[in-house]
């Protein structure tokens, strides 16, 4: 489910770099939702313990989409499913992928890492802000394991808000742990080693497998 939802989210963001991916826990933490949104109103919700829903369209019209079960979603050709989501969410169909932005590259990197955990011990992918309608909402505890992140936020004079911390992501598996800044595509290890994914991607001649190999080597525990 983690790999499937991240593949959908990262592919949509790759096709439409205006989209923002976040992780939310509505219903007081009952649900676990990967959301894909635009400032213009697109609102796609991938509920990993429920269904795929569309609550808003990018063009402002009312969406006509019935919640789709993950069983139905996984029986579709991924390309057809992406096109269906685009149409229902009012997003234009694009003929080819535009160049990846630093933010999109972080989403693609997380998706690639999640895909490696199929038929393996599940990885944990967490946003820097635990978003829930319950009282436990706030900056995620894991952020403090990567001191460069709170130091960076403090140096920018920014407050502990959802908007600030939603830019940061953590990936943890049995063998790898990394943190990411989606705005800059910087990645950190617990030991404080840092690399810029975008620059590494360019140096690797835009090869995702080479970037993935670099991340695995860098983040090995």
């Amino acid at each position: 489910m983690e790999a499937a939802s991240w593949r959908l989210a990262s592919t949509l963001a790759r096709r439409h770099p205006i989209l923002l991916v976040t992780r939310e826990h509505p219903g007081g933490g009952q649900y676990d939702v990967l959301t894909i949104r635009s400032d213009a109103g697109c609102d796609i919700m991938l509920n990993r313990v429920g269904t795929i829903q569309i609550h808003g369209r990018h063009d402002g019209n009312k969406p006509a989409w019935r919640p789709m079960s993950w069983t139905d979603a996984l029986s579709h050709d991924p390309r057809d499913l992406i096109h269906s989501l685009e149409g229902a969410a009012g997003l234009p169909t694009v003929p080819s992928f535009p160049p990846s932005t630093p933010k999109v590259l972080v989403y693609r990197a997380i998706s690639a890492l999640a895909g490696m955990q199929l038929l393996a011990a599940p990885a944990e992918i967490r946003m820097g802000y635990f978003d829930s309608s319950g009282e436990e909402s706030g900056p995620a505890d894991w952020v403090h394991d990567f001191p460069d992140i709170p130091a960076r936020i403090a140096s920018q004079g920014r407050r502990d808000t959802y908007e600030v911390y939603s830019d940061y992501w953590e990936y943890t598996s049995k063998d790898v742990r990394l943190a990411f800044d989606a705005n800059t595509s910087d990645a950190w290890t617990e030991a404080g080693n840092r690399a810029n994914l975008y620059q590494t991607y360019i140096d690797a001649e835009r090869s995702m497998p080479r970037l993935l190999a670099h991340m695995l080597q860098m983040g090995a525990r």
Side-chain angles (χ1 to χ4, degrees):
M1 190 60 65
E2 191 82 76
S5 57
W6 269 102
R7 181 176 181 184
L8 288 176
S10 64
T11 302
L12 285 165
R14 188 181 178 194
R15 289 170 63 81
H16 306 276
I18 57 171
L19 297 176
L20 178 69
V21 178
T22 59
R23 184 182 178 188
E24 301 173 1
H25 302 82
Q30 296 182 65
Y31 306 107
D32 182 2
V33 183
L34 211 57
T35 67
I36 306 102
R37 295 193 177 106
S38 72
D39 289 340
C42 172
D43 188 358
I44 302 172
M45 304 188 74
L46 309 180
N47 184 0
R48 279 90 71 87
V49 294
T51 57
I52 297 174
Q53 304 172 29
I54 297 177
H55 290 188
R57 287 175 56 96
H58 184 68
D59 57 14
N61 294 323
K62 186 177 180 179
W65 172 272
R66 285 189 172 186
M68 178 183 286
S69 72
W70 284 100
T71 300
D72 287 345
L74 296 176
S75 69
H76 283 67
D77 180 289
R79 292 169 296 185
D80 292 339
L81 179 56
I82 289 293
H83 290 155
S84 295
L85 289 169
E86 285 178 333
L91 293 165
T93 297
V94 293
S96 60
F97 290 118
S100 288
T101 64
K103 187 183 295 290
V104 168
L105 193 58
V106 168
Y107 299 155
R108 291 178 63 194
I110 292 174
S111 177
L113 289 167
M116 293 185 60
Q117 297 307 116
L118 287 170
L119 303 180
E124 187 163 20
I125 301 170
R126 299 184 290 184
M127 195 171 69
Y129 193 95
F130 185 82
D131 182 69
S132 171
S133 56
E135 295 180 357
E136 66 273 21
S137 290
D141 292 339
W142 68 260
V143 170
H144 299 287
D145 294 338
F146 299 86
D148 278 359
I149 295 177
R152 173 174 291 194
I153 292 171
S155 70
Q156 296 169 344
R158 303 173 78 185
R159 300 176 59 191
D160 291 353
T161 63
Y162 172 89
E163 288 74 17
V164 172
Y165 281 90
S166 62
D167 292 331
Y168 296 94
W169 291 88
E170 175 214 26
Y171 172 90
T172 302
S173 69
K174 183 181 66 155
D175 303 312
V176 175
R177 191 180 191 200
L178 289 165
F180 304 93
D181 181 340
N183 276 330
T184 64
S185 80
D186 286 332
W188 293 272
T189 67
E190 291 176 274
N193 299 323
R194 185 171 72 185
N196 183 269
L197 296 190
Y198 192 78
Q199 186 58 54
T200 303
Y201 181 61
I202 298 301
D203 293 343
E205 299 178 344
R206 299 182 181 273
S207 166
M208 201 63 199
R210 292 182 190 174
L211 178 60
L212 183 59
H214 179 84
M215 286 189 295
L216 292 173
Q217 182 178 21
M218 173 185 168
R221 304 175 78 177

